[in-house]
């Protein structure tokens, strides 16, 4: 099999399967945002929805993961009926893009390749990506769209960052390991 | 299903619901830009009143709407209180830097007219944005949203993603409920009074992992079904729920174009002249 270029890995393969995966990812994201959350603080929920872009990214690439997270948040806003929060949708898309980067550093969940090295990189990216997406990008857009006091916006964003890191690390690793083990069992033939 | 979603799945009979999907989506997007760009009560108030009129014309379930309205109002109100607690001069930076103390509680806590005005306008803006979203959500169906997106020249693969996602939300929701019940039958504790946050997160994962597996196992079937029907072969596609463009659509599209021109000129004007918010109590 020929090695794929970074751009190909970033875009993922745009076939019908990817489109369906993004759609189902966005739907899962919407459902989990509405029903699978644990409220911590006014705007902030400890939601397991953020694991969905990780899985989409692991199987289909970062751009599909970003679309699943961004569209998923818009869909969650639509079925929840609490109005649209575009600033958070943009932040989610950025986070989806970053945590969906698994194929870029060699983890291949579809073939069952997920080692300790990949787990460490994943955790680092989860922490940095959250800090970037909700610590920087979301507050900037909140300020741009709705105005407000920057300190409070940052504080709320930081609460979201911490809860998301908790979900992504505590939840993401078991999910990735489980998924990799599940796929590996289907691919355990060795070449003689 | 134990809970109804806010969005309608079948097109209704009222005036706004009868509009073409492209018209609705275009108007909604430009009105959203209009709300975001303006911090001016003179611009927001007419929109707020119009959105209530629009909502009334949709004959909604008022109990649900008022419940959501109260919830959003409370959430934004908490934000506003936090803004005030952190910086009592937050209004002055938006209102040309003047400071007029209204009440002095003690040396630290005081209330200026500027802050009061700014925070009220912000609350009003958030509520306006909520009302517009509500009118949009209640007037559109998922199918129309998809056809509207492709009408706005967004690639139809992206609109298919939205319509597919809406199609599978009820099924995923049902799966979620089934998995939750079967896990509870096996002794999974989900009572929030008995567990701390991290235990609950772990228990939630026990539902999530099978949910992700079942959902992603479907992908192959759905993709094959789509491929067999020739999805992705043509450059464009049509939609069943594309309504013909009527005279009322032309009216609303005209309004949309006028709003686009207004928004662009307003933003250019604002950035050239650097004026602050409209403030009627200037001394």
């Amino acid at each position: 099999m020929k090695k794929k270029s970074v751009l190909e890995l970033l875009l993922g393969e745009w076939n019908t399967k990817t489109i369906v995966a993004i759609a189902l990812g966005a739907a899962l994201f919407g459902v989990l945002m509405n029903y699978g959350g644990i409220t911590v603080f006014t705007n902030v929920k400890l939601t397991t929805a953020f694991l969905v872009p990780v899985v989409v990214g692991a199987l289909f690439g970062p751009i599909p993961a970003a679309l699943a997270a961004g569209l998923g948040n818009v869909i969650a806003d639509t079925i929840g009926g609490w109005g649209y929060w575009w600033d958070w949708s943009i932040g989610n898309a950025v986070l989806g893009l970053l945590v969906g980067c698994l194929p870029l550093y060699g983890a291949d969940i579809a073939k069952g390749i997920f080692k300790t090295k990949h787990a460490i990189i994943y955790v680092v990216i989860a922490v940095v990506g959250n800090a970037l997406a909700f610590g920087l990008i979301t507050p900037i857009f909140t300020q741009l769209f709705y105005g407000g006091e920057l300190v409070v916006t940052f504080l709320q964003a930081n609460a979201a960052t911490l809860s998301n890191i908790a979900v992504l690390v505590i939840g993401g690793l078991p999910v990735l390991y489980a998924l990799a083990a599940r796929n590996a069992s289907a691919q355990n033939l060795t070449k003689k | 299903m134990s809970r109804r979603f806010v969005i309608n799945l079948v097109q209704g009979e009222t005036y706004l619901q009868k509009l073409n999907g492209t018209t609705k989506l275009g108007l909604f997007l430009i009105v959203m830009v209009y709300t975001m760009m303006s911090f001016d009560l003179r611009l927001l108030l007419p929109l707020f009143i119009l959105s209530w009129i629009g909502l009334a014309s949709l004959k909604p379930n008022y109990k649900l709407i008022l419940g959501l309205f109260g919830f959003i109002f409370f959430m934004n109100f908490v934000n506003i209180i936090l803004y005030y607690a952190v910086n009592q001069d937050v209004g002055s930076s938006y209102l040309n830097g003047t400071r007029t103390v209204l009440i002095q509680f003690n040396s630290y806590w005081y209330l200026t007219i500027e802050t009061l005005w700014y925070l009220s306008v912000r609350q009003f803006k958030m509520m306006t944005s909520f009302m517009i979203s509500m009118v949009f959500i209640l007037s559109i169906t998922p199918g129309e949203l998809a056809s509207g997106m492709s009408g706005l020249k967004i690639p139809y693969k992206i609109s298919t993603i939205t319509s597919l996602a809406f199609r599978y939300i009820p099924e995923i929701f049902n799966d979620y409920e089934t998995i939750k019940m079967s896990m509870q039958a096996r002794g999974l504790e989900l009572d929030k009074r008995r567990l701390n946050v991290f235990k609950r997160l772990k228990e939630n994962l026990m539902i999530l992992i099978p949910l992700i597996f079942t959902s992603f196992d479907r992908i192959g079937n759905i993709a094959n079904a789509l491929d067999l029907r020739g999805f992705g072969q043509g450059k464009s596609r049509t939609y069943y729920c594309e309504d013909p463009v009527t005279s009322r659509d032309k009216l609303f599209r005209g309004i949309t174009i006028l709003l686009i021109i207004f928004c662009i000129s307003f933003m250019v004007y604002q950035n050239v002249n650097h004026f602050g918010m409209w403030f009627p109590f200037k001394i």
Side-chain angles (χ1 to χ4, degrees), chain A residues 48-59:
Chain A
T48 43
F50 285 98
L51 297 176
V52 175
V54 177
V55 177
V56 176
L59 295 172

Side-chain angles (χ1 to χ4, degrees), chain A residues 130-144:
Chain A
N130 262 300
L132 191 71
F134 293 120
L136 188 70
I137 289 169
T138 305
I140 286 174
F141 278 104
T142 310
Q143 198 69 15
L144 204 66

Side-chain angles (χ1 to χ4, degrees), chain A residues 2-15:
Chain A
K2 76 176 173 63
K3 218 167 152 59
K4 286 177 180 167
S5 71
V6 174
L7 188 72
E8 273 177 303
L9 284 173
L10 202 66
L11 273 170
E13 266 178 74
W14 270 90
N15 53 21

Side-chain angles (χ1 to χ4, degrees), chain B:
Chain B
M1 203 145 71
S2 58
R3 208 198 110 164
R4 244 175 60 85
F5 297 120
V6 179
I7 191 165
N8 295 314
L9 297 176
V10 184
Q11 197 191 37
E13 289 298 316
T14 59
Y15 186 88
L16 283 177
Q17 284 168 328
K18 280 286 193 192
L19 287 174
N20 181 290
T22 315
T23 317
K24 285 183 217 172
L25 189 63
L27 186 64
F28 167 69
L29 288 177
I30 193 63
V31 168
M32 215 67 210
V33 172
Y34 176 95
T35 327
M36 281 176 186
M37 74 174 187
S38 55
F39 245 108
D40 196 325
L41 198 62
R42 290 170 301 182
L43 291 179
L44 290 172
L45 191 63
L47 189 61
F48 188 71
I49 295 167
L50 277 176
S51 66
W52 271 106
I53 295 171
L55 192 71
S57 83
L58 292 167
K59 300 192 183 69
N61 173 4
Y62 280 106
K63 212 174 140 191
L64 179 75
I65 304 287
L66 288 177
L68 281 167
F69 191 89
F71 173 65
I72 299 296
F73 189 89
F74 173 74
M75 252 174 55
N76 280 308
F77 194 68
V78 171
N79 272 354
I80 295 235
I81 296 290
L82 283 173
Y83 291 159
Y84 173 69
V86 170
N87 181 0
Q88 282 141 41
D89 279 328
V90 64
S92 299
S93 54
Y94 288 89
L95 291 166
N96 307 324
T98 56
R99 251 188 87 219
T100 321
V101 178
L102 194 65
I103 314 166
Q104 182 95 37
F105 300 107
N106 57 36
S107 57
Y108 183 71
W109 293 96
Y110 56 88
L111 184 64
T112 66
I113 300 180
E114 283 85 357
T115 302
L116 191 64
W117 177 255
Y118 167 74
L119 291 179
S120 319
V121 172
R122 188 180 191 276
Q123 177 84 359
F124 194 77
K125 178 175 167 149
M126 298 311 279
M127 292 330 286
T128 311
S129 148
F130 166 74
M131 286 303 298
I132 296 160
S133 313
M134 222 50 217
V135 173
F136 174 69
I137 293 170
L138 287 172
S139 66
I140 206 158
T141 62
E144 279 179 322
L145 184 63
S147 81
M149 279 170 82
S150 88
L152 291 177
K153 304 283 177 282
I154 295 169
Y156 74 89
K157 291 191 175 176
I158 306 274
S159 13
T160 306
I161 291 173
T162 26
S163 59
L164 259 183
F166 276 112
R167 164 69 182 76
Y168 279 93
I169 280 173
E171 302 219 350
I172 287 174
F173 181 71
N174 284 344
D175 281 350
Y176 177 78
E177 290 285 292
T178 317
I179 293 169
K180 193 167 127 185
M181 273 188 257
S182 58
M183 285 311 227
Q184 274 174 322
R186 290 179 200 173
L188 188 79
E189 180 69 71
L190 287 171
D191 193 341
K192 51 177 98 164
R193 281 160 301 182
R194 291 197 198 158
L195 293 170
N196 64 23
V197 173
F198 280 99
K199 272 267 172 57
R200 274 170 68 201
L201 179 62
K202 209 185 127 218
E203 309 283 270
N204 266 303
L205 276 180
M206 301 301 286
I207 304 174
L208 184 76
I209 292 176
L211 184 64
I212 285 183
F213 284 172
T214 49
S215 310
F216 279 73
D217 281 347
R218 279 215 192 102
I219 291 174
N221 287 342
I222 302 169
N224 285 343
L226 279 170
D227 276 335
L228 281 171
R229 286 161 182 74
F231 175 78
Q233 299 299 313
K235 281 235 173 351
S236 64
R237 62 167 285 185
T238 50
Y239 286 84
Y240 274 124
C241 52
E242 243 170 13
D243 292 323
V245 178
T246 55
S247 55
R248 59 176 103 168
D249 281 309
K250 286 185 184 138
L251 172 72
F252 274 93
R253 283 180 189 185
I255 295 173
T256 310
I257 290 168
L258 286 180
L259 271 173
I260 292 173
I261 296 168
F262 175 75
C263 286
I264 292 173
S265 41
F266 183 87
M267 277 188 272
V268 170
Y269 182 67
Q270 195 175 32
N271 281 315
V272 170
N273 291 325
H274 295 290
F275 61 86
M277 271 168 75
W278 177 63
F279 181 52
F281 307 111
K282 201 177 273 173
I283 298 161

Side-chain angles (χ1 to χ4, degrees), chain A residues 50 53-54 57 61-67 69-70 90-101 133:
Chain A
F50 285 98
V54 177
I63 301 276
L67 274 173
I90 293 168
N92 282 338
V94 171
L95 180 63
L97 183 72
L98 289 169
V99 296
C101 277

